[in-house]
Amino acid sequence: MNGRTRGASERAQTALPALAIALLVLTMVTGIGLALADGAIGAADREPGERRVAVSLAAGLVAPESPLTERANVLDEERLSNVDQRQLRTAFPVTDETAVRVELDGDSLVTTGTPRTGTTIRRLVVVEERTTERIEPSLGWQRRVTLPQRGASARLTLVPPAGTSVTTVRANDRVVLHDEDGLAGTYEIDLSRFETTTLQFSASGPLPDGSVEVEYDALRTRKATLAVTADG
């Protein structure tokens, strides 16, 4: 073997390990690429289903007929605190085969299954809280009082002093009670939930402390973010 042939043989032998390493790296890169592509395809296959469930559930939770709403996009605070898996699955059968999580401002409300990542849909909502408030205004000769919060209804107890007759009660200039012979006792009246109410009493004399008691259903509202996650 001459020098030229021996040099070519040595270079070929030296190149073999490098070629093997290159082939190994190529095989690994190809395998990783195929695995990532397969994962991406699988995720793409799952995402439309997850998204449909998340969108459907988010829309259903804020709909007027939802068990959580007072009206469209207005959630009732008490109903939110009492919602559970059974109620969610009964009202929304779409959750039977998909793990879901419902959160309000980052706090978990109810979860079905074991959602991990999945697809999340967020909706801006209003949360409405009802409380019962009671006031005993000293009306004197003014005979009017503005309720501190909005309310849907009120209970009036009228105990006018001797010599004073209450004939009419108005709520924001709307007559809600009237009796020419005089009003006395307890009455239920409807109020507007959309504006603060001023009650005005038509009476023949002053109405001191103890003449009027108002117990009303006060409404407090706040904005919040409802998040629905579907996984699976």
Side-chain angles (χ1 to χ4, degrees), residues 24-203:
L24 177 61
V25 171
L26 178 61
T27 301
M28 292 176 61
V29 170
T30 301
I32 293 173
L34 290 174
L36 291 175
D38 182 65
I41 292 172
D45 289 340
R46 291 193 301 272
E47 184 177 347
E50 292 177 351
R51 183 172 181 81
R52 281 195 297 271
V53 172
V55 169
S56 175
L57 182 56
L61 287 171
V62 300
E65 63 274 12
S66 167
L68 301 182
T69 59
E70 180 62 31
R71 54 192 180 280
N73 293 314
V74 179
L75 304 178
D76 184 279
E77 181 79 40
E78 183 176 359
R79 297 175 192 175
L80 289 175
S81 62
N82 293 327
V83 66
D84 56 22
Q85 287 188 17
R86 181 189 60 80
Q87 185 181 24
L88 189 69
R89 283 178 166 151
T90 300
F92 305 100
V94 71
T95 62
D96 286 341
E97 298 180 0
T98 304
V100 301
R101 179 173 58 251
V102 181
E103 297 176 321
L104 187 70
D105 283 343
D107 295 327
S108 179
L109 294 177
V110 59
T111 301
T112 67
T114 310
R116 294 180 175 84
T117 55
T119 301
T120 300
I121 299 297
R122 292 177 174 82
R123 299 286 296 265
L124 293 177
V125 297
V126 173
V127 179
E128 185 175 88
E129 180 183 7
R130 293 173 176 266
T131 60
T132 300
E133 305 291 341
R134 179 176 170 274
I135 59 174
E136 290 188 15
S138 178
L139 302 176
W141 287 96
Q142 183 181 13
R143 304 175 192 151
R144 67 170 59 213
V145 60
T146 299
L147 303 183
Q149 293 94 22
R150 292 175 294 141
S153 62
R155 175 179 295 178
L156 296 183
T157 300
L158 304 177
V159 188
T164 297
S165 176
V166 178
T167 56
T168 305
V169 179
R170 292 179 173 84
N172 292 344
D173 298 324
R174 176 175 58 92
V175 174
V176 291
L177 296 173
H178 178 76
D179 191 336
E180 288 295 336
D181 294 330
L183 297 165
T186 300
Y187 305 88
E188 298 284 344
I189 63 172
D190 293 327
L191 306 177
S192 171
R193 69 171 69 242
F194 304 110
E195 59 183 347
T196 303
T197 299
T198 296
L199 298 174
Q200 184 175 356
F201 302 84
S202 296

